[in-house]
Amino acid sequence: MLKRFIYVKFQKEGVHCYPAAATDPSLATGDWDDVSFLGNPHFHYFHFNIAIEVFENDRDIEFIQFSRWLQRLYSEENTLELNSKSCEMLAEELIDQIKQKYPGRDIKADVSEDNINGAYLEYKA
């Protein structure tokens, strides 16, 4: 069975932290694998690669309109203040928004920090 998807990519500046990293002994190890610094607010370029199922080959969902709508979800702030949200949390929130606007479609969301490390979530309608 052939499944069709379109995808759009965009990036936003953001600040977040991982509070547990400062105190959890498995993260704040004091050794080569210490990531306690993640407990403090820090900056990233968050990269979004979002795919949505389409049912025909000719602009079932128009790329530019889809991209603009997604980016408007974050347009109120120049730099996202994400508190302790992870890439996984951002991807899941975005999928929830997309499901409301475009019900009955499979969705894939890839959210990464600095286009290096991130999370990939798939929603099956």
Side-chain angles (χ1 to χ4, degrees):
M1 178 168 113
L2 180 66
K3 286 197 116 176
R4 294 169 174 85
F5 290 84
I6 63 162
Y7 67 90
V8 299
K9 297 179 180 185
F10 62 96
Q11 73 179 33
K12 292 292 289 182
E13 294 180 356
V15 175
H16 76 157
C17 64
Y18 181 22
T23 58
D24 183 331
S26 69
L27 301 167
T29 65
D31 205 351
W32 63 268
D33 58 349
D34 184 284
V35 292
S36 58
F37 59 90
L38 297 175
N40 298 313
H42 54 279
F43 175 89
H44 291 288
Y45 286 103
F46 286 89
H47 292 254
F48 297 82
N49 185 350
I50 310 301
I52 186 167
E53 183 179 18
V54 294
F55 303 116
E56 59 181 80
N57 287 337
D58 194 14
R59 296 173 184 88
D60 183 11
I61 298 173
E62 206 294 315
F63 298 118
I64 296 169
Q65 290 177 327
F66 185 53
S67 179
R68 287 177 179 171
W69 174 75
L70 288 169
Q71 291 183 62
R72 284 177 59 94
L73 296 174
Y74 302 106
S75 67
E76 303 248 339
E77 306 171 34
N78 289 330
T79 301
L80 302 176
E81 294 295 335
L82 302 171
N83 300 314
S84 60
K85 288 183 184 175
S86 65
C87 291
E88 295 92 324
M89 293 172 189
L90 291 172
E92 188 168 344
E93 287 178 353
L94 199 49
I95 287 171
D96 287 342
Q97 291 281 331
I98 297 167
K99 287 187 326 191
Q100 290 177 33
K101 184 166 176 72
Y102 298 98
R105 298 171 188 261
D106 291 355
I107 302 164
K108 301 174 183 184
D110 179 343
V111 179
S112 67
E113 299 172 343
D114 307 314
N115 211 18
I116 300 170
N117 303 311
Y120 177 80
L121 278 68
E122 281 191 33
Y123 168 76
K124 303 281 188 188

PDB file of all heavy atoms in Angstrom, residues 26-41:
ATOM      1  N   SER A  26      22.462   9.855  38.177  1.00  0.00           N
ATOM      2  CA  SER A  26      22.756   9.212  36.893  1.00  0.00           C
ATOM      3  C   SER A  26      23.066  10.247  35.806  1.00  0.00           C
ATOM      4  O   SER A  26      23.607   9.899  34.753  1.00  0.00           O
ATOM      5  CB  SER A  26      21.589   8.326  36.448  1.00  0.00           C
ATOM      6  OG  SER A  26      20.462   9.102  36.108  1.00  0.00           O
ATOM      7  N   LEU A  27      22.753  11.514  36.067  1.00  0.00           N
ATOM      8  CA  LEU A  27      23.021  12.589  35.111  1.00  0.00           C
ATOM      9  C   LEU A  27      24.132  13.517  35.602  1.00  0.00           C
ATOM     10  O   LEU A  27      24.999  13.917  34.838  1.00  0.00           O
ATOM     11  CB  LEU A  27      21.737  13.401  34.869  1.00  0.00           C
ATOM     12  CG  LEU A  27      20.550  12.590  34.325  1.00  0.00           C
ATOM     13  CD1 LEU A  27      19.266  13.388  34.433  1.00  0.00           C
ATOM     14  CD2 LEU A  27      20.813  12.165  32.895  1.00  0.00           C
ATOM     15  N   ALA A  28      24.098  13.851  36.887  1.00  0.00           N
ATOM     16  CA  ALA A  28      25.138  14.689  37.498  1.00  0.00           C
ATOM     17  C   ALA A  28      26.185  13.756  38.090  1.00  0.00           C
ATOM     18  O   ALA A  28      26.299  13.588  39.305  1.00  0.00           O
ATOM     19  CB  ALA A  28      24.522  15.591  38.562  1.00  0.00           C
ATOM     20  N   THR A  29      26.968  13.131  37.227  1.00  0.00           N
ATOM     21  CA  THR A  29      27.881  12.073  37.648  1.00  0.00           C
ATOM     22  C   THR A  29      29.229  12.594  38.139  1.00  0.00           C
ATOM     23  O   THR A  29      29.952  11.878  38.822  1.00  0.00           O
ATOM     24  CB  THR A  29      28.158  11.113  36.471  1.00  0.00           C
ATOM     25  OG1 THR A  29      28.856  11.828  35.457  1.00  0.00           O
ATOM     26  CG2 THR A  29      26.871  10.522  35.913  1.00  0.00           C
ATOM     27  N   GLY A  30      29.590  13.824  37.765  1.00  0.00           N
ATOM     28  CA  GLY A  30      30.907  14.340  38.104  1.00  0.00           C
ATOM     29  C   GLY A  30      32.021  13.688  37.301  1.00  0.00           C
ATOM     30  O   GLY A  30      33.187  13.865  37.599  1.00  0.00           O
ATOM     31  N   ASP A  31      31.653  12.963  36.263  1.00  0.00           N
ATOM     32  CA  ASP A  31      32.634  12.250  35.448  1.00  0.00           C
ATOM     33  C   ASP A  31      32.464  12.664  33.986  1.00  0.00           C
ATOM     34  O   ASP A  31      31.774  13.634  33.670  1.00  0.00           O
ATOM     35  CB  ASP A  31      32.439  10.742  35.624  1.00  0.00           C
ATOM     36  CG  ASP A  31      33.690   9.927  35.340  1.00  0.00           C
ATOM     37  OD1 ASP A  31      34.681  10.495  34.848  1.00  0.00           O
ATOM     38  OD2 ASP A  31      33.655   8.699  35.573  1.00  0.00           O
ATOM     39  N   TRP A  32      33.035  11.905  33.064  1.00  0.00           N
ATOM     40  CA  TRP A  32      33.008  12.233  31.642  1.00  0.00           C
ATOM     41  C   TRP A  32      31.598  12.361  31.087  1.00  0.00           C
ATOM     42  O   TRP A  32      31.365  13.068  30.109  1.00  0.00           O
ATOM     43  CB  TRP A  32      33.790  11.199  30.830  1.00  0.00           C
ATOM     44  CG  TRP A  32      33.187   9.821  30.907  1.00  0.00           C
ATOM     45  CD1 TRP A  32      33.496   8.837  31.797  1.00  0.00           C
ATOM     46  CD2 TRP A  32      32.157   9.299  30.078  1.00  0.00           C
ATOM     47  NE1 TRP A  32      32.719   7.722  31.593  1.00  0.00           N
ATOM     48  CE2 TRP A  32      31.874   7.986  30.515  1.00  0.00           C
ATOM     49  CE3 TRP A  32      31.419   9.789  29.014  1.00  0.00           C
ATOM     50  CZ2 TRP A  32      30.909   7.173  29.940  1.00  0.00           C
ATOM     51  CZ3 TRP A  32      30.459   8.978  28.426  1.00  0.00           C
ATOM     52  CH2 TRP A  32      30.216   7.684  28.891  1.00  0.00           C
ATOM     53  N   ASP A  33      30.636  11.661  31.700  1.00  0.00           N
ATOM     54  CA  ASP A  33      29.266  11.676  31.194  1.00  0.00           C
ATOM     55  C   ASP A  33      28.356  12.623  31.978  1.00  0.00           C
ATOM     56  O   ASP A  33      27.143  12.565  31.861  1.00  0.00           O
ATOM     57  CB  ASP A  33      28.688  10.265  31.164  1.00  0.00           C
ATOM     58  CG  ASP A  33      28.685   9.586  32.526  1.00  0.00           C
ATOM     59  OD1 ASP A  33      29.315  10.109  33.468  1.00  0.00           O
ATOM     60  OD2 ASP A  33      28.037   8.529  32.641  1.00  0.00           O
ATOM     61  N   ASP A  34      28.946  13.532  32.743  1.00  0.00           N
ATOM     62  CA  ASP A  34      28.189  14.501  33.525  1.00  0.00           C
ATOM     63  C   ASP A  34      27.448  15.475  32.595  1.00  0.00           C
ATOM     64  O   ASP A  34      28.049  16.063  31.696  1.00  0.00           O
ATOM     65  CB  ASP A  34      29.133  15.295  34.433  1.00  0.00           C
ATOM     66  CG  ASP A  34      28.392  16.241  35.343  1.00  0.00           C
ATOM     67  OD1 ASP A  34      27.921  17.306  34.871  1.00  0.00           O
ATOM     68  OD2 ASP A  34      28.274  15.921  36.536  1.00  0.00           O
ATOM     69  N   VAL A  35      26.148  15.624  32.814  1.00  0.00           N
ATOM     70  CA  VAL A  35      25.347  16.585  32.046  1.00  0.00           C
ATOM     71  C   VAL A  35      24.570  17.515  32.976  1.00  0.00           C
ATOM     72  O   VAL A  35      23.515  18.025  32.630  1.00  0.00           O
ATOM     73  CB  VAL A  35      24.400  15.879  31.045  1.00  0.00           C
ATOM     74  CG1 VAL A  35      25.183  15.211  29.923  1.00  0.00           C
ATOM     75  CG2 VAL A  35      23.504  14.875  31.759  1.00  0.00           C
ATOM     76  N   SER A  36      25.134  17.741  34.163  1.00  0.00           N
ATOM     77  CA  SER A  36      24.449  18.582  35.146  1.00  0.00           C
ATOM     78  C   SER A  36      24.197  19.997  34.626  1.00  0.00           C
ATOM     79  O   SER A  36      23.254  20.658  35.053  1.00  0.00           O
ATOM     80  CB  SER A  36      25.237  18.636  36.453  1.00  0.00           C
ATOM     81  OG  SER A  36      26.543  19.136  36.233  1.00  0.00           O
ATOM     82  N   PHE A  37      25.009  20.465  33.686  1.00  0.00           N
ATOM     83  CA  PHE A  37      24.831  21.801  33.109  1.00  0.00           C
ATOM     84  C   PHE A  37      23.479  21.967  32.431  1.00  0.00           C
ATOM     85  O   PHE A  37      22.976  23.079  32.291  1.00  0.00           O
ATOM     86  CB  PHE A  37      25.955  22.118  32.110  1.00  0.00           C
ATOM     87  CG  PHE A  37      26.037  21.143  30.969  1.00  0.00           C
ATOM     88  CD1 PHE A  37      25.333  21.366  29.799  1.00  0.00           C
ATOM     89  CD2 PHE A  37      26.826  20.001  31.064  1.00  0.00           C
ATOM     90  CE1 PHE A  37      25.399  20.466  28.746  1.00  0.00           C
ATOM     91  CE2 PHE A  37      26.903  19.102  30.020  1.00  0.00           C
ATOM     92  CZ  PHE A  37      26.181  19.332  28.855  1.00  0.00           C
ATOM     93  N   LEU A  38      22.860  20.859  32.030  1.00  0.00           N
ATOM     94  CA  LEU A  38      21.550  20.929  31.383  1.00  0.00           C
ATOM     95  C   LEU A  38      20.452  21.380  32.341  1.00  0.00           C
ATOM     96  O   LEU A  38      19.361  21.758  31.908  1.00  0.00           O
ATOM     97  CB  LEU A  38      21.175  19.574  30.778  1.00  0.00           C
ATOM     98  CG  LEU A  38      22.085  19.066  29.665  1.00  0.00           C
ATOM     99  CD1 LEU A  38      21.674  17.668  29.239  1.00  0.00           C
ATOM    100  CD2 LEU A  38      22.092  20.028  28.490  1.00  0.00           C
ATOM    101  N   GLY A  39      20.746  21.380  33.637  1.00  0.00           N
ATOM    102  CA  GLY A  39      19.789  21.856  34.620  1.00  0.00           C
ATOM    103  C   GLY A  39      19.585  23.358  34.569  1.00  0.00           C
ATOM    104  O   GLY A  39      18.595  23.874  35.094  1.00  0.00           O
ATOM    105  N   ASN A  40      20.499  24.068  33.939  1.00  0.00           N
ATOM    106  CA  ASN A  40      20.386  25.523  33.788  1.00  0.00           C
ATOM    107  C   ASN A  40      19.753  25.859  32.436  1.00  0.00           C
ATOM    108  O   ASN A  40      19.961  25.144  31.461  1.00  0.00           O
ATOM    109  CB  ASN A  40      21.773  26.170  33.858  1.00  0.00           C
ATOM    110  CG  ASN A  40      22.426  25.941  35.184  1.00  0.00           C
ATOM    111  OD1 ASN A  40      21.818  26.119  36.230  1.00  0.00           O
ATOM    112  ND2 ASN A  40      23.677  25.517  35.157  1.00  0.00           N
ATOM    113  N   PRO A  41      19.021  26.964  32.373  1.00  0.00           N
ATOM    114  CA  PRO A  41      18.465  27.369  31.076  1.00  0.00           C
ATOM    115  C   PRO A  41      19.582  27.545  30.053  1.00  0.00           C
ATOM    116  O   PRO A  41      20.622  28.137  30.357  1.00  0.00           O
ATOM    117  CB  PRO A  41      17.775  28.703  31.385  1.00  0.00           C
ATOM    118  CG  PRO A  41      17.446  28.626  32.843  1.00  0.00           C
ATOM    119  CD  PRO A  41      18.588  27.854  33.463  1.00  0.00           C
TER     120      PRO A  41
END
